[in-house]
Amino acid sequence: MNVQELMHSIGIQARDAAVVMARASTAQKNQALEAIAEQLLADTATLQAANEKDLSAGKSRGLDAALLDRLALTPTRIAAMAEGLRQIASLPDPVGEITDLCTRPSGIQVGKMRVPLGVIGIIYESRPNVTADAAALCLKSGNAAILRGGSEAIHSNQAIAQCVRVGLESQGLPATAVQVLETTDRAAVGELLKMKAFVDVIVPRGGKGLIERVSNEARVPVIKHLDGICHVYIDDQADMDKAVAVAYNAKTQRYGTCNTMETLLVAEGIAAQILPMLAERYLQAEVELRGCDKARTIVPAMTTATEEDWATEYLAPILSIKVVSDMDAAMSHIRHYSSQHTEAIITENWTRARRFLNEVDSSSVMINASTRFADGFEYGLGAEIGISTDKIHARGPVGLEGLTSQKFIVLGDGHIRL
């Protein structure tokens, strides 16, 4: 069977499974998630043996230490996967929820019901735990899933997929509700992106190259974000202690995440006071600082920020700093350079804070809080399938509700339109 025939067969099975998953009860889905969690724990040794094959191959291919660490499945990480499944099982089921029910002048009742999207294709890299997270979120939201992990984790992903199949079948649900592609052929990705007849939405999780390819080639809707060029603006009416704590955390808590601050904007009226304090802490943490001319006048240790810096997601201990005249100038900079992921303002002036909330057009906008909170778990979603910066039904961290849609429902009692 060639790749095109293989993907067509997988698409048919996924579409059939989606029908079954859409009518599965909450109890059935939760019990399947619990069963998968138990199977992961029971198969810890098997999972590690499969993972060792991937680690060995990765070392042979010259993967760096950071990538090998992301790839590794330890007993602790397997236990965390199982706990994540149980947390998703404990979350409210969005499917079937009826909202906005109201009686119209005609006498009919009109409302909205939340329903699964159908078949979700997920393309991701490196971390095997994504296989369990994605399977769990799709399962709980009543969808079928086609998962395509990176070739570097092929053995680990297949071992996790076997646990998922066991859990599904234990509750009378189709094993084909979650299909993890066994082929490493890149042509399979191309086929998945074109399967309009079977796939309702694609979710890419990985580097910018992967997401750009998916965005350019997909013929079905895509839930995605390309960059995480996140900003923190320190207003001239900010509390100094809060501003230092938030701006430091937003950059240094983790460097390689999409919700890490990449550009710090500081109001001119407070810059001379706060920038030396912040620069001292950043430099102690070995963060490279790149500043505008005004910022470099205050902190000469900064190198010169270029036009390219303002548009760069570093994912590294590098920070661009710009002194701006006021909040309007800060928002203008954000409009021009932001990737519409996450922006924060630090201020004690709530009139300005509300303006910032209203006028900054990003998927997450914060007052006096670190951008590192822009995460599905921190938002109470249990887990996330990814981040969306698109202006579609799902925006920001995408959890269970983001993997559903709504349809209008009408309740009548023999009503006819006159």
Side-chain angles (χ1 to χ4, degrees), residues 10 13 17 21 28 31-40 43 46-47 50 85 124 131-132 135-136 139 145-147 154-183:
I10 287 171
Q13 293 179 80
M21 294 306 299
Q28 200 175 11
Q31 287 162 10
L33 290 169
E34 293 284 353
I36 297 168
E38 290 173 13
Q39 195 66 40
L40 287 171
D43 285 359
T46 302
L47 292 171
L85 286 159
Y124 52 102
T131 303
L139 191 166
I146 301 173
L147 310 183
I154 185 67
H155 297 97
S156 306
N157 288 336
Q158 290 304 317
I160 294 169
Q162 176 57 26
C163 295
V164 174
R165 285 192 289 269
V166 170
L168 286 165
E169 290 179 331
S170 73
Q171 301 306 313
L173 296 172
T176 49
V178 179
Q179 298 179 80
V180 181
L181 301 189
E182 298 180 12
T183 179

Side-chain angles (χ1 to χ4, degrees), residues 35-203:
I36 297 168
E38 290 173 13
Q39 195 66 40
L40 287 171
L41 295 174
D43 285 359
T44 293
T46 302
L47 292 171
Q48 285 192 278
N51 184 241
E52 188 55 44
K53 294 180 183 178
D54 292 328
L55 290 172
S56 179
K59 290 171 185 174
S60 299
R61 290 167 52 192
L63 293 185
D64 64 34
L67 284 175
L68 289 171
D69 178 65
R70 292 177 69 190
L71 184 58
L73 280 180
T74 64
T76 300
R77 290 181 179 181
I78 293 168
M81 280 197 296
E83 178 57 27
L85 286 159
R86 289 182 168 133
Q87 287 181 9
I88 291 170
S90 71
L91 294 172
D93 187 348
V95 178
E97 178 188 23
I98 296 175
T99 58
D100 304 324
L101 199 62
C102 65
T103 302
R104 301 295 301 145
S106 63
I108 62 170
Q109 288 184 293
V110 179
K112 293 181 180 179
M113 176 182 285
R114 195 158 289 282
V115 295
L117 292 177
V119 177
I120 300 173
I122 304 173
I123 304 168
Y124 52 102
E125 300 170 333
S126 298
R127 292 183 298 168
N129 66 291
V130 175
T131 303
D133 289 347
L137 287 166
C138 290
L139 191 166
K140 181 65 181 269
S141 55
N143 296 288
I146 301 173
L147 310 183
R148 205 286 189 176
S151 59
E152 69 278 6
I154 185 67
H155 297 97
S156 306
N157 288 336
Q158 290 304 317
I160 294 169
Q162 176 57 26
C163 295
V164 174
R165 285 192 289 269
V166 170
L168 286 165
E169 290 179 331
S170 73
Q171 301 306 313
L173 296 172
T176 49
V178 179
Q179 298 179 80
V180 181
L181 301 189
E182 298 180 12
T183 179
T184 59
D185 192 330
R186 288 174 60 86
V189 174
E191 289 298 321
L192 182 59
L193 298 178
K194 296 186 294 186
M195 289 166 49
K196 293 187 293 184
F198 306 116
V199 178
D200 294 288
V201 67
I202 295 284
V203 182

Side-chain angles (χ1 to χ4, degrees), residues 222-353:
V222 178
I223 296 176
K224 58 138 188 358
H225 80 276
L226 285 175
D227 296 300
I229 304 174
C230 302
H231 299 77
V232 172
Y233 165 61
I234 300 178
D235 185 50
D236 58 12
Q237 293 192 31
D239 177 282
M240 296 283 280
D241 291 337
K242 290 180 189 177
V244 170
V246 170
Y248 183 77
N249 179 267
K251 183 62 201 178
T252 64
Q253 201 267 338
R254 273 186 74 185
Y255 294 117
T257 57
C258 60
N259 56 16
T260 297
M261 173 181 64
E262 303 292 20
T263 297
L264 175 65
L265 304 171
V266 184
E268 199 166 26
I270 202 172
Q273 294 172 271
I274 201 166
L275 275 182
M277 299 165 57
L278 273 169
E280 182 180 3
R281 292 197 64 182
Y282 286 136
L283 293 172
Q284 286 175 352
E286 299 184 341
V287 176
E288 178 187 339
L289 303 179
R290 302 178 184 179
C292 68
D293 290 342
K294 289 182 180 178
R296 292 183 66 243
T297 300
I298 298 168
V299 180
M302 296 184 195
T303 59
T304 301
T306 66
E307 178 68 18
E308 183 180 359
D309 284 310
W310 309 125
T312 298
E313 180 185 28
Y314 298 115
L315 300 174
I318 304 170
L319 178 65
S320 298
I321 300 177
K322 184 174 184 179
V323 176
V324 295
S325 57
D326 53 22
M327 187 178 74
D328 284 302
M331 291 193 296
S332 177
H333 180 98
I334 290 169
R335 275 193 298 273
H336 188 75
Y337 295 102
S338 171
S339 59
Q340 298 188 312
H341 190 297
T342 302
E343 329 297 343
I345 182 173
I346 316 301
T347 187
E348 297 302 300
N349 184 319
W350 281 85
T351 300
R352 294 182 186 176

